[in-house]
Amino acid sequence: MDCTNLQKAVIPDISYSLYVFENCPLEEGIEKIESDYKYDKEKVTKIDIPSTRTAINKGEYSGCPNLEKVTIPDSVTYISDMAFSDCPKLEEIVIPAGLTSIGASYAFSGCTALKKVVWHDGITSIDSYAIQGCPALTTVTPSPTPAALVSMGE
């Protein structure tokens, strides 16, 4: 599909391959992806979230069994519930500088291969269970907690 001038796509509630828009320049300019967005989660190994995004919606990338790498730009200020939960091959998350709070339950829970979480000194709160069920987690940087952190858990 050649759609170099595509500005908007309304997608019905059907299942389709992530590659249906393979030749379309959707990386930049996307502002929101609905939480019921359908794609073949089995094929996703890497996600580069465009800098036009300010939020990651509930369950948006949850359950991608082969997801290994996620790049979240500084423009993202909010990560919703279960945004990246149950991604068993995801090994590292870098929390963007624009995000001050992980106010989302289970945002990264069940990421069994998650070894490293990198956050910045400006993060002020982390919700209960945001990073839960991650037995491989060995590194949280900066350590032990960000200087501005005032709330962790309930």
Side-chain angles (χ1 to χ4, degrees):
M1 175 187 288
D2 181 18
C3 51
T4 55
N5 294 317
L6 180 68
Q7 293 180 1
K8 181 178 181 179
V10 177
I11 302 167
D13 189 17
I14 59 172
S15 183
Y16 56 87
S17 170
L18 178 63
Y19 301 102
V20 72
F21 295 112
E22 187 171 21
N23 296 317
C24 302
L26 296 178
E27 292 80 25
E28 291 297 327
I30 294 178
E31 294 175 10
K32 182 177 182 183
I33 294 178
E34 298 296 333
S35 62
D36 59 354
Y37 178 68
K38 305 290 186 219
Y39 57 91
D40 187 349
K41 293 183 176 194
E42 296 277 330
K43 293 182 179 178
V44 178
T45 59
K46 179 183 173 192
I47 296 170
D48 291 314
I49 297 171
S51 63
T52 48
R53 297 287 308 277
T54 58
I56 299 170
N57 297 313
K58 182 176 182 178
E60 192 169 318
Y61 301 107
S62 177
C64 292
N66 297 305
L67 179 61
E68 297 175 1
K69 180 171 174 55
V70 174
T71 303
I72 305 173
D74 287 345
S75 61
V76 171
T77 59
Y78 180 73
I79 296 176
S80 189
D81 297 345
M82 301 178 289
F84 296 98
S85 64
D86 300 315
C87 295
K89 291 188 179 179
L90 186 60
E91 293 187 6
E92 180 177 321
I93 286 290
V94 177
I95 303 299
L99 192 72
T100 58
S101 173
I102 302 175
S105 294
Y106 307 101
F108 302 102
S109 71
C111 295
T112 54
L114 187 63
K115 296 176 185 173
K116 184 176 183 180
V117 175
V118 178
W119 51 37
H120 55 88
D121 284 330
I123 197 156
T124 58
S125 69
I126 300 170
D127 194 47
S128 298
Y129 310 111
I131 305 169
Q132 179 246 340
C134 303
L137 186 63
T138 57
T139 307
V140 177
T141 307
S143 184
T145 57
L149 190 63
V150 293
S151 170
M152 185 176 258
E154 293 180 2

